[in-house]
C-alpha cells in the first residue's frame, strides 16, 4: 500500500537534524508499521562535516557538504530544511520545490518573512510545504488550527511559545532573583542563547505568532505591524506585586478577534490569574490556548524546543509528505497563505486595543501623590480597580505605588502615562503591564 | 481547486446533529474559503421528524424518516452517523461504505466493539472512516495520536474523558457534599443522564480508552479484558483525606507501556498530585495527557461533549473526508485497526500492574490495630509510605485509618486486602484507590 523507500534529504545537521536522523535511521520499521510510510534517510548536507553523531547510524555516502546533492538530487523525494536563517534557506527551499520535492521546515523566521511566496510556489508545483516544528515543536498546533478547528471562527489564541522567557519568568516567580541573574543561569543551562536578544525581546514569539494568526485568521500581517515587547524590564518587584494581586507574569503571544472584527496581534509580558491553566505552565514548557466559537476553550501543552520534541514534529511532517507522495493524502497544505481572497478581518493597531493594566510607579513619599496620579488617569477616562501603596521602605524618600485599572484603551493609557511620568512627584522609571483575564480556565 | 458541492447526509438529528447542521447550513462559505472544501447538507434522516430546529436553515426535501435515502442515495458523498447504538448504526455504516461513501461517526461504543471490521471494510472500499468526535469531542486527540505523534512510541496516556464523572468529582472537591447529592445536581443540570450507569461506572471512559490505546499501541483489546471501576464508591471522606495527603481524586483512563513491553489499559478513580495540570482540570472538561518517547510530556484540554464542541470535531472529519474526495488527501485512515501485523506489545493483566495505593479502613479504635494491619501488608511485601489515624470522632467505637503504600503489585495488594478485611478489628467497608505520580507536570 505504501511507496517503498521514500527518500529523505536533510539540509543541516545540528540539534534537530540529529534528532530527525536518529528517528529515521533507528525507527523506520516502526514508522512503516504504524503510519504505513517507508522512509529512508538518503542524504545529509552540512557545511562542515562532523566525523559522526552519537546514536545515529548513517549509511556510507550519506554525508555531503554540497546542498545541491540534496535539492537537485533526483532520488530524493522530501527535503528537510534545518539550516535556519532566511537567505540560503529561502533559495534552497525554492530550488527543491521547483524540482518537485516536498519540503519540511522548522524555520519560523523564513516563513514569517517569505511564507506567502513559498506557499504559493509549493502550490504551483503541487508539493507540500509542512512546518509543524516551526512553532511550539512538541505541540501539534499548526495541524490543529489548519485541520481540527477548520469549522471554527477562532475568537482568540494565547501562547506561551518562547521557552527561554518562560524559564526565566518561572525562575523569577520561584525565587527572589532578578532578571539578569536568571538569564545567566539560563545561558549556563543551555535554555538561553549566548546572544539571547531574539528570545528575551519577544521577536521569536512574534515570528511564531505570525504563523498562528495567519492560520487562524487568514491574515498575513507584516512583522513590523505587530506590537512586540520583551521581558527585560520585568523586575522581581513586579513579580511580587503581581502575586499579591493574584496574578502571574508570563510572556504571552496573543491573537484576538475583537468585537469590531479586527484582529489584535501582540506579544508582551502579561498578568494572568494565578488559577488559570496557562499561569501554571512552568519551566521551558510551551502552551497554546485556543478559543474557537464552536469548540470553545482548549489548551495544548508540551515542550517547545529540544532535539527530540522538535524532531518528533519534523518526522510527523515527513510522514504527511510521504503520504502525499504515496497518494494517501494530497499536497495542498496551507490555504491561509495560498488564497488570494481578501481576509474578512483586518489588523487592529495597538492603540485601539482595550485591556486592563498593571501600573507600577516610583513616587515621592508625601501627601497628595495618589490624588495627582488618579486625576490624570481620570482625565483620560481610566478608572482604578485597586491600589497598593506600601509604607516607605527605601532610603531615598521614594515609595512604590501600584495601580490596577479597569478596561481602558491603549491610546488613552499611553497618553496618561506620558503625563504621569512628567509629574514632579514621579521620580523613577514607570512600569506598565497588560492584564488578560479571559484565559481564566 | 475544490470539488463543488460535496454532499453530506446525516443519520440522526439530535444534539450533535443539530450542531453539525448549524455549521453546514450557516458556514459553508467560511469553510470553503478557509479549508478549500465546498460542503452541502443534502439529507437528514431521523426516525420521527421534528417540525424545525432553531438556528438551522434546512432546504426543502432535506428531511426524511428513511435512512436509506442517505446511505443508498447516489448523490451523497459523505454519511455522518449520529444515531448511536451498535446495531442499526453498524448496518447503516456498512451499507454506506459498500456504496462507496465516506463515513464520519461519533459512535465510540460501535467502534470499540466493531471497529476492526468496519475499518477493514472502509479500507477495502477505499473510503475514510473518521471518528474524531468519538473521544473527547473538543480535543483533537485522535488526529494527534494518528498523525502528529506517529514517530513516537507512546509511553503512557492519561485521560479525563468522562465529563459527568469529572463534574461530580470536582463538585465533591469543592463542597462538603456526597456523591448521591452531586449526582442529582448533575442530572438536574443535564451533565448526567437519567440513567447515568454508563458514565459513573466508567464504561463510557473505557470505550474511549480502547480507541486511544488502539491508536497508540496498535492493540485491539476486547472490552472485557479491561479493568474498569467507576466513581460510585468515592466518599466525601476520601476526597478530604486525599486533599490532606496532597492529592485530588479523578476518574482516569490509563494506557501505559510498562517496562516489560506490556500495555496496561485501565479505568479507575485515581489520586493525582494536587499540583499536576491534570488534577486542575475541573467541571465537565476533558483532558488527555500523552507522553511520547520523542515528544515528551504533552497535555490537551477542552470540552468533551456538548452540541457545538462535538459538532466542531464532526465537521473537521467531514472536511478531511471532503479533501479525500477532491483528491487533496487520501482515504486511508486508521492503520492501527487495518493492519494484520501482530502488535509488538501485549496486554498487561490488572494483577501485574504496579502502583501505589491509598487504603482507607474502618477499624476498631483500640490498641494493636495498626500493628495487625501493617503486619498483613508486610507479609505481602507491601511497605507503608504514610499513615493517617485520626482521633475517634464517630460514636460507634470505630475510627478511620488511612494508609498510603509504596509501589506494590495489584495481585499482592488484593490478597492483602482480603486478609485485612477478614480481621476482626476491621469493621466497615474498605476503600482502595490507586495513585499515579507520573503525571506530575
Amino acid at each position: 500500500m505504501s511507496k517503498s523507500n521514500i527518500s529523505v534529504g536533510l539540509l543541516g545537521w545540528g540539534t534537530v537534524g540529529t534528532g530527525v536522523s536518529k528517528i529515521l535511521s533507528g525507527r523506520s520499521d516502526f514508522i512503516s508499521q504504524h503510519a504505513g510510510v517507508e522512509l529512508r534517510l538518503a542524504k545529509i548536507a552540512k557545511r562542515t562535516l562532523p566525523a559522526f553523531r552519537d546514536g545515529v547510524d548513517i549509511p556510507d555516502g550519506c554525508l555531503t557538504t554540497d546542498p545541491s546533492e540534496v535539492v537537485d538530487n533526483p532520488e530524493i523525494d522530501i527535503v528537510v530544511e534545518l539550516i535556519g536563517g532566511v537567505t540560503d534557506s529561502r533559495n534552497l527551499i525554492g530550488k527543491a520545490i521547483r524540482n518537485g520535492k516536498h519540503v519540511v521546515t522548522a524555520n519560523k523566521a523564513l516563513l514569517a518573512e517569505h511564507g506567502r511566496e513559498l506557499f504559493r510556489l509549493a502550490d504551483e508545483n503541487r508539493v507540500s510545504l509542512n512546518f509543524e516544528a516551526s512553532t511550539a515543536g512538541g505541540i501539534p498546533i499548526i495541524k490543529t488550527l489548519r485541520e481540527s478547528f477548520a469549522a471554527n471562527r477562532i475568537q482568540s489564541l494565547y501562547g506561551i511559545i518562547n521557552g527561554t522567557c518562560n524559564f526565566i519568568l518561572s525562575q523569577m516567580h520561584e525565587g527572589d532573583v532578578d532578571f539578569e541573574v536568571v538569564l545567566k543561569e539560563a545561558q549556563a543551562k543551555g535554555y538561553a542563547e549566548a546572544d539571547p536578544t531574539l528570545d528575551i525581546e519577544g521577536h521569536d514569539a512574534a515570528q511564531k505568532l505570525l504563523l498562528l494568526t495567519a492560520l487562524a485568521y487568514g491574515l498575513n500581517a507584516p512583522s513590523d505591524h505587530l506590537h512586540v515587547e520583551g521581558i527585560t524590564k520585568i523586575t522581581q518587584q513586579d513579580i511580587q506585586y503581581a502575586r499579591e494581586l493574584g496574578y502571574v507574569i508570563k510572556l504571552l503571544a496573543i491573537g484576538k478577534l475583537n468585537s469590531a472584527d479586527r484582529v489584535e496581534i501582540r506579544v508582551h509580558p502579561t498578568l494572568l490569574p494565578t488559577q488559570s491553566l496557562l499561569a501554571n505552565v512552568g519551566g521551558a514548557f510551551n502552551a497554546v490556548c485556543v478559543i474557537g466559537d464552536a469548540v470553545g476553550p482548549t489548551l495544548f501543552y508540551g515542550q517547545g524546543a529540544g532535539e527530540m520534541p522538535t524532531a518528533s514534529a519534523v518526522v510527523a511532517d515527513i510522514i504527511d509528505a510521504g503520504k502525499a507522495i504515496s497518494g494517501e493524502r494530497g499536497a495542498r497544505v496551507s490555504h491561509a497563505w495560498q488564497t488570494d481572497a481578501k481576509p474578512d478581518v483586518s489588523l487592529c493597531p495597538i492603540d485601539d486595543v482595550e485591556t486592563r493594566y498593571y501600573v507600577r510607579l516610583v513616587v515621592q513619599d508625601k501627601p497628595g501623590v495618589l490624588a495627582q496620579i488618579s486625576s490624570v488617569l481620570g482625565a483620560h477616562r481610566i478608572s482604578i480597580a485597586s491600589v497598593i501603596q506600601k509604607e516607605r521602605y527605601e532610603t531615598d524618600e521614594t515609595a512604590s505605588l501600584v495601580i490596577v485599572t479597569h478596561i481602558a484603551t491603549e491610546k488613552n493609557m499611553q497618553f496618561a502615562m506620558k503625563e504621569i511620568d512628567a509629574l514632579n512627584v514621579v521620580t523613577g522609571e514607570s512600569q506598565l503591564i497588560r492584564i488578560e483575564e479571559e484565559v481564566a480556565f
Side-chain angles (χ1 to χ4, degrees), chain A:
Chain A
M1 206 61 81
S2 54
K3 175 175 187 276
S4 293
N5 283 331
I6 289 175
S7 294
V8 180
L10 304 191
L11 298 170
W13 205 29
T15 305
V16 177
T18 303
V20 172
S21 60
K22 276 181 193 168
I23 294 176
L24 293 181
S25 68
R27 192 166 280 190
S28 59
D29 287 352
F30 176 88
I31 290 171
S32 162
Q33 193 191 333
H34 284 250
V37 177
E38 282 180 33
L39 300 172
R40 187 177 70 93
L41 179 57
K43 268 289 179 230
I44 299 173
K46 191 177 190 309
R47 198 179 299 255
T48 51
L49 290 186
F52 71 102
R53 282 273 198 278
D54 264 353
V56 192
D57 184 22
I58 295 298
D60 287 340
C62 186
L63 285 168
T64 174
T65 54
D66 180 6
S68 71
E69 285 190 39
V70 173
V71 298
D72 294 326
N73 187 336
E75 276 181 22
I76 284 177
D77 304 297
I78 300 169
V79 172
V80 181
E81 184 273 309
L82 299 166
I83 55 177
V86 295
T87 308
D88 288 353
S89 58
R90 179 188 182 190
N91 293 335
L92 289 168
I93 288 179
K95 221 172 183 186
I97 291 175
R98 285 191 205 89
N99 285 335
K101 298 181 192 321
H102 296 250
V103 172
V104 173
T105 179
N107 194 329
K108 61 209 162 258
L110 175 68
L111 295 180
E113 203 162 321
H114 303 293
R116 205 177 167 80
E117 162 204 323
L118 292 172
F119 286 112
R120 186 165 305 169
L121 192 65
D123 196 32
E124 287 166 11
N125 288 274
R126 310 292 302 155
V127 296
S128 330
L129 174 51
N130 294 342
F131 57 103
E132 186 66 77
S134 64
T135 302
I139 302 173
I141 190 65
I142 303 293
K143 189 182 279 265
T144 295
L145 284 173
R146 214 161 57 182
E147 302 179 11
S148 302
F149 291 171
N152 285 261
R153 262 187 180 270
I154 304 301
Q155 297 175 313
S156 50
L157 58 88
Y158 303 89
I160 294 174
I161 50 180
N162 182 275
T164 306
C165 289
N166 203 49
F167 176 82
I168 291 173
L169 291 174
S170 299
Q171 293 291 103
M172 287 176 72
H173 273 96
E174 273 169 31
D176 184 9
V177 276
D178 277 319
F179 175 80
E180 296 295 341
V181 177
V182 182
L183 175 60
K184 287 218 172 67
E185 184 195 336
Q187 286 172 316
K189 286 191 178 172
Y191 289 140
E193 308 275 344
D195 177 0
T197 314
L198 260 181
D199 291 313
I200 62 177
E201 294 295 359
H203 303 299
D204 171 85
Q207 288 170 346
K208 295 168 179 168
L209 179 61
L210 276 176
L211 302 186
L212 297 181
T213 50
L215 292 172
Y217 301 109
L219 204 61
N220 286 286
S223 56
D224 56 356
H225 282 48
L226 263 63
H227 181 82
V228 181
E229 277 174 52
I231 63 166
T232 55
K233 288 178 188 159
I234 302 296
T235 67
Q236 183 56 232
Q237 239 188 330
D238 294 318
I239 301 278
Q240 288 176 14
Y241 279 119
R243 180 180 298 135
E244 197 171 326
L245 292 159
Y247 296 100
V248 167
I249 302 178
K250 294 284 186 190
L251 183 75
L252 272 206
I254 301 173
K256 194 194 272 189
L257 188 64
N258 66 24
S259 52
D261 262 2
R262 297 204 296 175
V263 180
E264 302 171 11
I265 309 182
R266 47 194 169 99
V267 174
H268 52 69
T270 310
L271 268 69
L272 290 173
T274 309
Q275 293 308 316
S276 63
L277 284 174
L278 268 187
N280 288 291
V281 172
F285 273 84
N286 278 199
V288 183
C289 158
V290 181
I291 304 177
D293 67 345
V295 75
T298 62
L299 182 134
F300 302 82
Y301 168 92
Q303 293 185 69
E307 178 184 323
M308 297 315 289
T310 313
S312 165
V314 169
V315 176
D317 273 353
I318 295 173
I319 291 170
D320 272 359
K323 288 181 181 172
I325 292 167
S326 62
E328 220 188 279
R329 118 170 240 156
R332 280 189 90 226
V333 283
S334 199
H335 209 73
W337 273 281
Q338 287 157 359
T339 179
D340 283 320
K342 241 183 117 59
D344 43 5
V345 293
S346 63
L347 188 67
C348 177
I350 184 74
D351 271 355
D352 295 349
V353 165
E354 296 188 346
T355 181
R356 300 180 66 193
Y357 295 87
Y358 158 99
V359 185
R360 180 177 51 76
L361 304 171
V362 183
V363 296
Q364 289 174 11
D365 191 13
K366 65 179 192 184
V369 170
L370 183 56
Q372 281 189 57
I373 288 161
S374 53
S375 95
V376 173
L377 290 171
H380 291 280
R381 285 181 297 172
I382 299 162
S383 67
I384 294 174
S386 60
V387 173
I388 302 180
Q389 181 161 19
K390 293 275 169 78
E391 283 195 88
R392 194 177 73 215
Y393 55 88
E394 278 131 81
T395 53
D396 60 353
E397 308 273 309
T398 66
S400 285
L401 176 65
V402 171
I403 295 172
V404 173
T405 75
H406 285 297
I407 285 182
T409 62
E410 178 82 15
K411 191 166 33 179
N412 288 353
M413 196 67 215
Q414 293 295 350
F415 276 127
M417 286 305 288
K418 244 179 219 163
E419 283 181 35
I420 287 171
D421 284 339
L423 295 173
N424 284 332
V425 295
V426 174
T427 61
E429 206 177 340
S430 303
Q431 176 70 283
L432 183 72
I433 311 179
R434 294 171 196 84
I435 302 175
E436 290 289 335
E437 308 273 1
E438 236 181 63
V439 287
F441 59 86

